Amino acid sequence: MKDLVFDLINQEKVRQSEGLELIPSENYVSNAVLKAMGSVLTNKYSEGYPNFKGVPGWDEAKIAEEILPNYRYYGGQTNIDRIERLAIDRACRLFHADHANVQPHSGAQANNAVYYAWLNPGDTVLGMSLPAGGHLTHGAPVTLSAQIYHFVGYGVTDAGDIDYDDLEKKALECNPKIILIGYSAFMKIPDFERVRKIRDKVAAKTSHEILLMADMAHVAGLIAGGIHPNPLDYGFEVMTTTTHKTLRGPRGGLILSRGNVASPLKKPEKTLKNIPILIDRAVFPGTQGGPLEHIIAAKAVAFGEALKPEFKDYAKNIVKNAKILATELIKLGFVLQGDGTDNHLILINTKESFGFDGKIYEKALDLIGLTLNANALPSDRGGAFRPSGVRLGTPAITTRGLGDSEMKVLALWMKKVADICKDAGSEENLTKYSAELETIHDEVRALALKFPVPGI
Ligand code: DSN
């Protein structure tokens, strides 16, 4: 008998094909990435690392051919080593890094490994506060890292930008070991140069080195596509990211760094220069066991795709689409946090726009095949059980090829659904509007089917 799981996978294929994905942290991977993920590499254990001593002149053929002694704890690594070295090499090239650790299973694992590499228990990290748009792994009290380290949060201004004065004031007060720029709901371009200057100013007054870390999970694809500044080019030592958002790879994490690259076997002195080696030791054996080599192969394939010239067009189109969608929404009466967007992400203040919260809007849009998520706004101050807004973005729909005219249609559908939510007043009452919602759903389905999902 066929496993029921495959029926459900087929149903998910239908859901993805017939709907439009607006969650800004999701995307559709290529057939090649899917193929690498579903390969026999999942059968292999490979704790440890291949031998990669920095940039070898970017000669892929040489990397794929050379068999080198490694730092692994299992035999049979001939092919695995070369695949992982290709992934490292491509990641370094994409992000101008001296070193890449491609093993983190997720973005959270990547961030935790950096904390473990650089901090001692009780040390302070200064990051964007969660209500301002920061991420759970940047110090939310419910996380393990928040039990071990001390997190201080900086905020955003009313205009939606990082409050750099607050950041500087707090850095001088709390004397952090890490200053962290990163977010999951922020629509501006960070001023990395300014943050580096703040770090240098604070570091001059303190006895310890301060690590500059950027969690660029949301915008890594925009950085790879050359349309967003790269923190490593502005003096940051470390950049973490997931590989599945704008970067359009498999689900996973990645840590890029600048500094000395050497064998992970010997514990180096804890200095900023040694951060790549400290990170390797913090990922394995520090916080993870065996790497997922099928995922690492898929990361290598995705990095290869992102190195191609057409990825630059993709990145440009993500932002173009987001800006058009934001403009159309504003024209229709939507209030957007930060008055629009400079990246792929839009945060709608549904409460201020129409008087209802993000949950009812998320549910109603789900009913017409548009997927996004209810999201707190800085004004909710972290206490909102029912957040005042929704978060959406354009990476996935841009992969499918939607462009200017479709953004206008999307905005109109979203306004129609907003009007329905306003009339309905509650999620339960949405059933009274089933006919209207189903009519829009038919239109969404018809459009979505014109833009096939890769791999389906
Ligand atoms: N869960 C991701 C997001 O949706 O932004 C962040 O990890």
Side-chain angles (χ1 to χ4, degrees):
M1 199 177 78
K2 205 174 101 197
D3 193 317
L4 289 175
V5 168
F6 292 97
D7 290 339
L8 292 168
I9 292 176
N10 284 333
Q11 284 179 40
E12 176 61 11
K13 282 184 182 173
V14 173
R15 189 196 70 83
Q16 291 191 14
S17 295
E18 295 189 350
L20 293 173
E21 188 51 71
L22 296 174
I23 292 178
S25 46
E26 293 189 14
N27 213 328
Y28 305 106
V29 297
S30 68
N31 270 318
V33 169
L34 275 178
K35 212 166 171 179
M37 271 192 277
S39 69
V40 293
L41 299 179
T42 193
N43 299 337
K44 192 73 198 95
Y45 246 125
S46 50
E47 281 171 9
Y49 289 102
N51 193 326
F52 187 87
K53 292 212 180 68
V55 181
W58 309 127
D59 185 344
E60 287 213 342
K62 192 166 170 227
I63 295 170
E65 195 183 284
E66 229 175 8
I67 295 168
L68 298 168
N70 60 22
Y71 313 114
R72 303 276 196 192
Y73 292 83
Y74 293 81
Q77 306 293 343
T78 321
N79 302 310
I80 296 286
D81 276 354
R82 291 180 288 170
I83 289 167
E84 190 165 336
R85 280 192 347 244
L86 276 176
I88 294 169
D89 169 78
R90 290 177 184 179
C92 287
R93 262 192 289 161
L94 260 185
F95 295 104
H96 317 159
D98 294 328
H99 182 259
N101 189 305
V102 295
Q103 294 192 1
H105 302 327
S106 68
Q109 292 285 94
N111 286 345
N112 285 332
V114 176
Y115 300 151
Y116 187 60
W118 188 244
L119 302 172
N120 293 315
D123 280 349
T124 299
V125 179
L126 177 62
M128 187 185 279
S129 72
L130 191 61
H135 188 250
L136 270 176
T137 57
H138 303 168
V142 289
T143 58
L144 177 63
S145 46
Q147 310 297 312
I148 302 174
Y149 313 112
H150 175 232
F151 286 84
V152 176
Y154 58 83
V156 288
T157 61
D158 290 342
D161 206 350
I162 291 173
D163 188 339
Y164 294 97
D165 293 335
D166 184 43
L167 193 160
E168 178 165 345
K169 186 170 148 279
K170 294 217 166 106
L172 286 163
E173 277 166 14
C174 74
N175 204 11
K177 288 285 274 295
I178 294 180
I179 295 178
L180 170 54
I181 300 296
Y183 36 78
S184 57
F186 179 71
M187 286 67 62
K188 306 283 181 199
I189 310 287
D191 186 343
F192 295 119
E193 178 73 23
R194 186 160 172 192
V195 178
R196 188 190 55 75
K197 284 188 181 146
I198 294 173
R199 185 270 298 271
D200 293 349
K201 186 170 164 185
V202 181
K205 295 183 195 249
T206 185
S207 55
H208 61 252
E209 288 188 305
I210 301 171
L211 177 77
L212 281 183
M213 170 179 176
D215 176 349
M216 295 288 99
H218 264 270
V219 293
L222 306 185
I223 295 172
I227 57 149
H228 187 290
N230 178 343
L232 296 181
D233 292 340
Y234 290 85
F236 278 59
E237 286 84 19
V238 173
M239 170 177 148
T240 58
T241 180
T242 48
T243 45
H244 49 270
K245 297 188 174 89
T246 45
L247 196 48
R248 211 163 58 181
R251 272 174 192 278
L254 170 69
I255 309 173
L256 302 139
S257 54
R258 289 263 179 100
N260 301 328
V261 180
S263 157
L265 295 182
K266 195 164 153 260
K267 191 173 179 189
E269 206 191 329
K270 237 187 199 183
T271 62
L272 286 180
K273 276 278 159 239
N274 285 332
I275 197 73
I277 315 162
L278 293 164
I279 285 170
D280 275 352
R281 293 172 61 89
V283 173
F284 176 83
T287 51
Q288 286 191 174
L292 311 175
E293 292 296 342
H294 56 306
I295 299 298
I296 289 173
K299 286 175 186 172
V301 173
F303 301 156
E305 291 172 355
L307 281 163
K308 293 199 176 126
E310 47 268 37
F311 196 84
K312 287 194 189 318
D313 295 332
Y314 168 60
K316 218 185 291 164
N317 287 335
I318 293 176
V319 178
K320 188 168 161 238
N321 277 341
K323 282 181 185 283
I324 296 172
L325 183 55
T327 306
E328 293 301 314
L329 290 170
I330 289 169
K331 276 192 219 160
L332 294 168
F334 286 78
V335 177
L336 307 189
Q337 175 74 12
D339 286 331
T341 186
D342 293 328
N343 57 26
H344 63 298
L345 202 147
I346 296 170
L347 200 54
I348 300 175
N349 188 332
T350 52
K351 199 75 171 182
E352 201 181 323
S353 314
F354 307 107
F356 52 77
D357 63 46
K359 275 284 173 206
I360 178 171
Y361 198 42
E362 174 192 299
K363 166 107 190 275
L365 287 169
D366 235 354
L367 294 171
I368 65 154
L370 298 185
T371 315
L372 46 59
N373 66 287
N375 211 93
L377 298 164
S379 52
D380 288 332
R381 301 191 187 288
F385 174 62
R386 297 189 65 101
S388 300
V390 293
R391 188 186 67 149
L392 65 154
T394 50
I397 51 175
T398 306
T399 293
R400 283 174 84 166
L402 277 71
D404 307 12
S405 54
E406 289 81 24
M407 293 309 113
K408 291 179 187 159
V409 175
L410 257 178
L412 287 172
W413 285 331
M414 289 178 66
K415 176 64 167 63
K416 281 187 190 168
V417 174
D419 289 341
I420 290 174
C421 289
K422 211 166 147 183
D423 280 353
S426 74
E427 281 164 55
E428 296 71 46
N429 280 346
L430 284 175
T431 47
K432 295 186 191 148
Y433 298 81
S434 300
E436 286 99 316
L437 289 166
E438 202 38 50
T439 306
I440 313 174
H441 194 184
D442 288 342
E443 291 171 17
V444 172
R445 195 183 290 113
L447 182 88
L449 288 171
K450 285 191 201 151
F451 296 91
V453 173
I456 297 186

